[in-house]
Structures are given as C-alpha cells and as structure tokens.
C-alpha cells in the first residue's frame, strides 16, 4: 500500500507498519509480557527526565562520532537483535544489514535470524561493526557452532542474552496462537554449506531440524550461570563478550569480575519479566557500578533522538533499537529501515545542537534533570532489627 505522506517520526512509521503487517506478525513484534507494564514503562519513563540546555555556544559543527569497544563508529545509535526480520519484509535481515551499513553504526544479529549470519555480514561495507547475539542451549555444541561461524565470518563481539532462561508469557501471542509462516527458516541453525550455496532456496529445506518447531524446541540451558557460562564462552572464542539483560549494580559487578567487555542494560523489550524497571531507570545504577571498568550500552523504549541524548547523558556509551527498525522494514524494506535510523539520527543531532553540545563526549548528566526517589529497596527483614535501606531510585 502506498502512502502519499512520508513519515516524519518513529510513531508515524509504527502506525504504517501496523496497517501493512499481518495481525499475528504485528502482535509478535509489538507484544510484551503479561500486562505489558515494563514494555510501556520503557517508553514512558523517558518523559520523567528533563533536559538542561545551555545557550550561546558554537554549535555550527555537530558530530556524533564515538568509539565502541575501541572501534570508531559514526553514531552511538545501533540496531538491537530481534528475531524473524522476514516477518516484516521478504528481504529480512539482509535489507536491515544494508540499512545498517548506510547508517554507519553497529548491527547486533539475532541467533533467530531468518537470514544466515554469513549472508547478513556480506551486505556490509567492510566498516560496519556486526555483533552476534547468542543463547546457550543444553546442547552447547549448537551454541558453539554459531559462535565459531560468527568469528570466522568477521563478527566483532558475542552478545550473550542472559534474561531468558525461559520465554516470558506474552499474552498477545497466546491469544493469536501465533506461529511463524512455515516457509521461513532459521538459517543460523542450518548447514552453512547448504544455506549459503548458490542453489539454496528456503522451500528446499525440508528436514525437521531446519524448521521453526524443531529449532525453538532446542532447550535453553537453565543451569547457565556466571560461573559456568562466561568461562565456557571464553574458552571457545577470542571475541569480546557483552552481557545483554543486565538491570542491576550487582550483576554489573559480576560482569566486571568475569572480565566481560560490556553490558547491555535491557529487559528484552519488556517481553520477559513484567514489572522489572524500565531500562532508562535501571541505567544509572549500572553506570555507577561499572565505574568506567566496563562499557555500558542500553536498549528499550527509544523512540526519539532526545531519548538517545538522555541515555547518553546518564552514561550509556551507545544505544540500540529494534522495533523502530522492524517497523521501517515493514514500511519500505531496506529504505524504510534506513529512514527509521536516519530520523532518530537527525533528532539526536538536533537535540545536541539545542542543548549546546557538539560531540558525544560532551554529553553528561549535567544536561539532564532526573526524578528523585521514586522507588526504594530494602534488605531482608531480620527479627528485632530495622530494615536497611539498600537503594533509592
């Protein structure tokens, strides 16, 4: 369907995507866990933070160039991992990859990609950073195979998702009885010599272990822990390890103790534990615990350039978005995904100009008013003793 008016913000793209996507696919992308409190909070919590702009500064030259894992990137805005891009557009993750290369930052590819990791990185321009998202399965050989393929293909980091020992209860998917279309394949679980061959077509993949039903049945390792997971991953790859799903100071310290390269403050887009803090609210305690010993990134709820600015001001080195890119993909394929990224990029540059900052390194907490003491956390009550205040947020 054609639209005469081009979208001017992410909310516009979201509305278009909802109109053009099948109901089940839209529900899969848009749903959160249970009552969707955390998913809703991810967006609305940004509104509790206000900006503190400075005037009469030379803002004639704005740059968003920064470094991530010691590598230069054009912008701190990257693409978060999300499964099944071909639900949004037939070109799937290949189109997203081309948009990422044009945009100039980082793309994190989901394990549950409908395009093989080799095909995805081949769409890059040689300068784009690609990171590989990973789940660890009971049969760790499955995960190890993906890690080794990613390292061989040129991915620059492994992003270990740690907030999904079991999938959250997503009521929209349950009501829709959503199942991905049978013609789609999770190509990262297939023989790379087959899936990357010139004669490959999705409908040629007939074996049971190349279908969604079998792959989603590959049980996650619920015994995975800091002690047995990070050391194992370090034993099979030299790539930096980034832990995705951290929301607390305690887990940030454990990531430092286990010599991880970074943490992504994330609640899985509100799709796992409903009632957890929004990511922008969790970010300050993670940054404080990191104490510049580990890089901190964030995803969840970012819909405007000012959201990116606020996250950077509170200490995130980079931020990642998923749903806006998927909506762009549904709207107009590669071009739509780039439009979504470019809208956010231009809004970030405008926010920088209007706050009197000209480069990412200048953005700090002095530019943000933060809400005070909305939540407190206490220690476990001991008989005959008062509770100890552990944290104010």
């Amino acid at each position: 369907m054609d639209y005469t008016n081009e979208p001017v913000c992410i909310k516009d793209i979201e509305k278009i995507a909802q109109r053009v996507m099948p109901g089940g696919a839209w529900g899969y992308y848009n749903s959160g866990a249970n009552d969707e409190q955390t998913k809703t909070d991810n967006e609305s919590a940004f509104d509790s933070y206000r900006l503190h702009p400075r005037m009469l500064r030379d803002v004639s030259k704005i740059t968003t160039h920064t470094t991530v894992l010691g590598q230069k990137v054009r912008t701190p805005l990257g693409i978060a991992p999300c499964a099944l891009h071909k639900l949004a557009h037939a070109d799937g993750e290949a189109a997203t990859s081309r948009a990422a290369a044009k945009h100039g930052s980082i793309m994190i590819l989901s394990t549950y990609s409908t395009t093989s990791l080799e095909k995805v990185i081949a769409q890059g321009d040689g300068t784009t950073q690609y990171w590989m998202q990973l789940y660890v399965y009971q049969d760790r050989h499955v995960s190890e195979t993906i890690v080794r393929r990613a390292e061989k293909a040129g991915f620059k980091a492994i992003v270990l998702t740690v907030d999904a020992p079991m999938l959250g209860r997503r009521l929209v998917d349950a009501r829709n009885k959503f199942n991905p279309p049978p013609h789609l394949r999770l190509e990262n679980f297939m023989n790379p010599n087959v899936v990357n061959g010139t004669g490959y077509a999705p409908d040629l993949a007939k074996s049971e272990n190349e279908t969604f039903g079998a792959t989603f049945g590959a049980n996650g390792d619920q015994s995975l822990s800091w002690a047995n997971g990070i050391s194992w991953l370090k034993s099979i790859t030299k790539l930096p390890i980034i832990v995705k799903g951290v929301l607390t100071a305690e887990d940030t310290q454990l990531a430092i103790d286990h010599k991880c390269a970074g943490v992504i403050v994330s609640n899985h887009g509100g799709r796992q534990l409903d009632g957890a803090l929004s990511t922008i609210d969790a970010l300050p305690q993670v940054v404080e615990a990191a104490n510049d010993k580990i890089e901190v990134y964030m995803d969840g709820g970012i819909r405007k350039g000012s959201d990116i600015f606020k996250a950077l001001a509170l200490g995130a080195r980079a931020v990642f978005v998923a749903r806006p890119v998927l909506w762009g993909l549904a709207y107009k394929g590669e071009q739509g995904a780039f439009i979504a990224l470019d809208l956010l990029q231009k809004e970030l540059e405008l926010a920088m100009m209007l706050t009197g900052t000209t480069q990412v390194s200048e953005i700090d907490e002095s530019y943000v008013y933060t809400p005070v003491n909305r939540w407190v956390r206490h220690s476990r009550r001991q008989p005959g003793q008062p509770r100890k205040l552990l944290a104010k947020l």
Side-chain angles (χ1 to χ4, degrees), residues 379-387:
S379 64
R380 179 180 298 182
R381 189 184 300 277
Q382 300 294 333
Q385 297 181 11
R387 291 187 301 167

Side-chain angles (χ1 to χ4, degrees), residues 277-290:
L277 280 178
S278 73
T279 50
I280 192 65
D281 286 328
L283 178 63
Q285 65 172 299
V286 173
V287 170
E288 183 177 4

Side-chain angles (χ1 to χ4, degrees), residues 56-99:
L56 290 177
R57 291 180 169 180
D58 182 356
V59 290
S60 58
K61 295 180 180 179
I62 300 288
T63 178
T64 60
H65 284 75
T66 187
T67 60
V68 176
L69 295 182
Q71 301 295 314
K72 292 181 179 180
V73 292
R74 190 179 73 85
T75 172
L77 170 64
I79 300 174
C82 185
L84 316 180
H85 286 208
K86 286 183 181 178
L87 280 178
H89 190 274
D91 290 344
E93 293 83 1
T96 307
S97 179
R98 293 191 293 271

Side-chain angles (χ1 to χ4, degrees), residues 320-390:
F320 296 89
V321 296
R323 287 185 177 103
V325 174
L326 294 168
W327 297 332
L329 200 61
Y331 162 54
K332 200 175 282 189
E334 173 191 343
Q335 182 182 354
F338 176 76
I339 288 171
L341 291 167
D342 195 50
L343 282 171
L344 289 169
Q345 175 68 21
K346 288 186 166 86
E347 288 178 0
L348 170 61
E349 293 170 3
L350 178 61
M352 291 175 65
M353 181 174 289
L354 296 181
T355 54
T357 55
T358 60
Q359 52 191 0
V360 171
S361 61
E362 295 175 358
I363 304 171
D364 60 32
E365 60 187 348
S366 69
Y367 289 93
V368 176
Y369 295 98
T370 61
V372 178
N373 295 354
R374 289 185 293 169
W375 298 282
V376 297
R377 188 167 65 88
H378 293 89
S379 64
R380 179 180 298 182
R381 189 184 300 277
Q382 300 294 333
Q385 297 181 11
R387 291 187 301 167
K388 180 182 179 181
L389 181 63
L390 296 179

Side-chain angles (χ1 to χ4, degrees), residues 12-270:
D12 286 353
I13 298 179
E14 178 183 5
K15 291 175 182 176
I16 295 171
Q18 186 173 11
R19 290 200 294 254
V20 301
M21 291 185 70
W26 168 259
Y28 174 76
Y29 282 154
N30 196 54
S31 63
N34 294 94
D35 294 332
E36 300 190 345
Q37 177 190 40
T38 296
K39 179 204 168 217
T40 301
D41 285 352
N42 273 352
E43 288 190 49
S44 63
F46 280 99
D47 295 335
S48 298
Y49 296 79
R50 297 291 189 271
L51 298 175
H52 180 76
R54 299 298 308 277
M55 303 302 162
L56 290 177
R57 291 180 169 180
D58 182 356
V59 290
S60 58
K61 295 180 180 179
I62 300 288
T63 178
T64 60
H65 284 75
T66 187
T67 60
V68 176
L69 295 182
Q71 301 295 314
K72 292 181 179 180
V73 292
R74 190 179 73 85
T75 172
L77 170 64
I79 300 174
C82 185
L84 316 180
H85 286 208
K86 286 183 181 178
L87 280 178
H89 190 274
D91 290 344
E93 293 83 1
T96 307
S97 179
R98 293 191 293 271
K102 187 177 178 182
H103 173 62
S105 184
I106 298 164
M107 177 178 178
I108 308 177
L109 181 67
S110 171
T111 288
Y112 291 126
S113 170
T114 44
T115 309
S116 75
L117 63 92
E118 292 88 356
K119 291 177 184 175
V120 171
I121 198 170
Q123 300 300 311
D125 60 1
T127 63
T128 307
Q129 279 198 56
Y130 291 87
W131 297 352
M132 188 72 214
Q133 180 271 334
L134 183 73
Y135 293 104
V136 175
Y137 300 102
Q138 290 179 13
D139 180 0
R140 292 197 176 183
H141 177 71
V142 175
S143 302
E144 181 177 348
T145 298
I146 292 173
V147 170
R148 295 193 184 280
R149 282 174 60 185
E151 187 166 5
K152 181 179 179 181
F155 283 71
K156 299 301 183 183
I158 298 297
V159 177
L160 177 65
T161 295
V162 297
D163 59 3
M166 179 178 287
L167 289 182
R169 190 162 184 258
R170 301 160 192 175
L171 302 186
V172 172
D173 287 345
R175 293 183 183 115
N176 288 338
K177 297 183 179 179
F178 174 72
N179 284 304
H183 69 279
L184 298 183
R185 296 291 183 269
L186 297 176
E187 295 190 358
N188 290 328
F189 293 89
M190 298 171 62
N191 183 333
N193 294 324
V194 174
V195 74
N196 297 320
T198 56
Y200 168 75
D203 60 359
L204 298 178
K206 298 296 185 183
S207 66
E208 182 182 358
N209 65 351
E210 293 169 354
T211 65
F212 275 108
T215 306
F216 282 140
N219 293 325
D221 185 355
Q222 295 178 357
S223 71
L224 187 70
S225 68
W226 290 102
N228 68 34
I230 304 300
S231 59
W232 169 77
L233 198 50
K234 284 179 174 290
S235 74
I236 64 169
T237 183
K238 296 180 180 178
L239 293 177
I241 296 168
I242 297 163
V243 181
K244 180 180 183 291
V246 170
L247 293 170
T248 64
E250 297 93 325
D251 284 334
T252 305
Q253 184 58 56
L254 285 167
I256 294 169
D257 294 344
H258 287 82
K259 295 181 171 52
C260 298
V263 294
I264 301 179
V265 179
S266 175
N267 53 38
H268 219 103

